[in-house]
């Protein structure tokens, strides 16, 4: 084995394939072509002298050696990122932002208050907030592109190397605009749901399995007209001008429900309730500003729940 032949791009490609289980999805994540990812993996295996991946049907899985190498590769990427962060300067002051991945469920409900509380602490730390699907945010957290993810607890198989702190629990709601036809007395929501467009969580989202099970429980497979989206701004705008039914976490539409602009249909969604909280890498060493940020998010969640 020649360690000198192993480059950062080899580790990045290996980690992406390991997490995505697919060369094509890894290529999309890395913004390169699938052949480029395949070539990079071959170079890594030549440098290591062993195979680290193997075909699994239409996908890719790690070999036993690959599973061992994965732990060390992830640690190496994290250590490198932390090293770069520790010396990066903006003038004379380190202004590298604390990077937060926030799911839509907390972007509207928790984060605005958390940021207001954090700014009052005058830490001088910069903040960057990004939103997206849970799987994407967790991958960015794993590779060091994010410092924290605030949202639903991921499936156990996706939590390796992570620590989760529970803040509160919430459930999915079926939400419509005021004066929607389904709000009339005596309506059977599931019997009439096919008459209206349904805004659904994406198949990669944490809450989608809960929603799918809820449909099965009520004798449905899926709505006839289904629009998958993670865009809360689109959901709000579309709901106001249509008869759509938005199937969404309660926190995303908490303000609209409070104002009466949106109304939750009388559907029993108790089985969709799940924990919302902070997900961090187990090797995270919080700075003073980061620790203060965590405290403000905890306080905002307490006040909002």
């Amino acid at each position: 084995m020649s360690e000198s032949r192993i480059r950062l791009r080899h580790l990045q490609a290996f980690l992406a394939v390991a997490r995505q289980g697919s060369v094509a999805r890894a290529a999309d994540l890395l913004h390169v072509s699938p052949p480029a990812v395949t070539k990079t993996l071959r170079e890594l295996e030549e440098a290591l002298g062993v195979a680290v991946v193997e075909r699994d049907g239409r996908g890719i899985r790690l070999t036993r050696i690959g599973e061992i190498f994965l732990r060390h590769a992830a640690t190496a990427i994290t250590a490198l990122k932390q090293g770069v962060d520790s010396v990066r300067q903006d003038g004379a002051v380190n202004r590298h932002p604390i990077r937060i991945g926030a799911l839509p469920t907390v972007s509207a409900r928790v984060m605005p208050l958390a940021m207001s509380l954090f700014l009052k602490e005058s830490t001088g730390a910069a903040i960057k907030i990004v939103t997206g699907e849970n799987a994407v945010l967790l991958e960015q957290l794993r590779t060091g592109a994010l410092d924290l993810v605030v949202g639903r607890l991921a499936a156990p198989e996706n939590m390796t190397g992570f620590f989760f702190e529970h803040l509160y629990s919430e459930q999915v709601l079926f939400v419509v605009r005021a004066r929607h036809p389904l709000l009339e007395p005596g309506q059977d929501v599931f019997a009439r749901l096919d008459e209206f467009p349904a805004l659904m969580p994406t198949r990669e989202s944490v809450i989608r399995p809960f929603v799918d099970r809820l449909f099965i429980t009520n004798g449905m497979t899926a709505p006839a007209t289904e629009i998958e989206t993670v865009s809360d701004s689109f959901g709000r705008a579309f709901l106001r001008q249509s008869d759509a039914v938005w199937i969404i976490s309660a926190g995303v539409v908490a303000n609209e429900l409070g104002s009466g602009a949106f109304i939750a249909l009388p559907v029993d969604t108790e089985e969709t309730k799940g924990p919302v909280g902070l997900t961090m890498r187990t090797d995270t060493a919080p700075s003073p500003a980061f620790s203060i940020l965590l405290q403000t998010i905890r306080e905002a969640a307490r006040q909002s729940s």
Side-chain angles (χ1 to χ4, degrees), residues 18-30:
R19 301 307 177 195
Q20 299 298 319
S22 162
V23 169
R25 289 196 296 270
D28 288 340
L29 187 67
L30 297 171

Side-chain angles (χ1 to χ4, degrees), residues 39-111:
K39 179 182 178 182
T40 303
L41 286 178
R42 288 174 179 167
E43 291 175 356
L44 174 62
E45 291 180 329
E46 288 176 3
L48 293 172
V50 292
V52 291
V53 297
E54 60 187 4
R55 290 200 172 277
D56 181 24
R58 295 184 178 181
I60 292 289
R61 68 179 177 186
L62 300 184
T63 63
R64 289 187 178 181
I65 296 297
E67 292 283 357
I68 296 172
F69 185 65
L70 174 63
R71 296 194 295 271
H72 298 288
T75 300
I77 290 289
T78 298
L80 177 60
K81 185 65 178 176
Q82 292 174 340
V84 171
D85 292 348
S86 68
V87 299
R88 180 177 289 161
Q89 299 286 319
D90 181 8
V93 180
N94 187 350
R95 294 289 294 168
H96 183 73
I98 300 174
R99 301 151 304 178
I100 307 168
L103 295 183
T105 184
V106 298
S107 293
R109 180 177 184 179
V110 175
M111 293 310 297

Side-chain angles (χ1 to χ4, degrees), residues 12 20 33 38 42 59 69 76 111 116 150 179 193-194 265 274-275 284 298 300:
Q12 290 173 325
Q20 299 298 319
S33 67
T38 300
R42 288 174 179 167
F69 185 65
M111 293 310 297
S116 296
V150 190
R179 298 181 298 280
L193 194 59
D194 281 346
L265 292 171
T284 296
R298 294 182 185 115

Side-chain angles (χ1 to χ4, degrees), residues 26-298:
D28 288 340
L29 187 67
L30 297 171
H31 305 293
V32 298
S33 67
V37 173
T38 300
K39 179 182 178 182
T40 303
L41 286 178
R42 288 174 179 167
E43 291 175 356
L44 174 62
E45 291 180 329
E46 288 176 3
L48 293 172
V50 292
V52 291
V53 297
E54 60 187 4
R55 290 200 172 277
D56 181 24
R58 295 184 178 181
I60 292 289
R61 68 179 177 186
L62 300 184
T63 63
R64 289 187 178 181
I65 296 297
E67 292 283 357
I68 296 172
F69 185 65
L70 174 63
R71 296 194 295 271
H72 298 288
T75 300
I77 290 289
T78 298
L80 177 60
K81 185 65 178 176
Q82 292 174 340
V84 171
D85 292 348
S86 68
V87 299
R88 180 177 289 161
Q89 299 286 319
D90 181 8
V93 180
N94 187 350
R95 294 289 294 168
H96 183 73
I98 300 174
R99 301 151 304 178
I100 307 168
L103 295 183
T105 184
V106 298
S107 293
R109 180 177 184 179
V110 175
M111 293 310 297
L113 177 56
M115 289 301 98
S116 296
L117 295 173
F118 181 74
L119 292 176
K120 291 179 181 178
E121 299 291 334
S122 301
T123 65
I127 300 291
K128 178 181 180 180
I129 300 176
V130 299
T131 59
E133 292 181 341
N134 192 67
V136 175
L137 295 181
L138 287 181
E139 180 62 26
Q140 292 176 344
L141 178 64
R142 194 180 303 279
T143 61
L146 291 175
D147 303 302
L148 170 70
V149 171
V150 190
R152 279 249 187 171
L153 172 63
E157 62 268 21
N158 296 324
M159 289 298 293
T160 303
F162 292 148
F163 166 77
F164 180 82
E165 177 183 334
H166 178 262
L167 295 177
Y168 60 91
S169 295
E170 72 173 5
Q171 63 196 72
V172 173
L173 299 177
F174 284 52
V175 180
V176 295
R177 61 168 177 80
R179 298 181 298 280
H180 191 281
L182 286 177
L183 293 172
E184 298 173 3
Q187 299 300 310
D188 185 332
V189 173
F190 285 100
R192 295 194 60 194
L193 194 59
D194 281 346
E195 300 175 26
F196 310 98
L199 300 183
M200 294 277 288
T202 63
R203 299 186 187 280
E204 294 76 20
S205 68
V206 177
I207 64 173
R208 182 59 183 257
F210 297 95
V211 174
D212 288 341
R213 286 196 292 271
L214 184 65
F215 278 121
I216 293 172
T217 300
N218 287 274
M220 294 184 65
T221 54
T225 305
E226 179 179 336
I227 303 173
E228 292 188 12
T229 182
V230 295
S231 173
D232 52 318
S233 58
F234 167 75
R236 292 188 181 93
F238 191 65
L239 213 64
R240 289 190 180 100
Q241 67 183 42
S242 73
D243 284 339
V245 178
W246 193 6
I247 303 168
I248 189 68
S249 292
V252 178
V253 290
N255 292 335
E256 288 77 12
L257 292 173
S259 69
F262 295 164
I263 299 174
L265 292 171
V267 175
D268 182 4
T269 59
E270 182 67 22
E271 66 184 84
T272 68
K273 182 176 288 187
V276 177
L278 309 172
T279 301
M280 294 168 279
R281 295 188 303 275
T282 53
D283 60 356
T284 296
S287 65
F290 189 79
S291 296
I292 292 173
L293 172 66
L294 295 178
Q295 284 298 107
T296 61
I297 295 175
R298 294 182 185 115

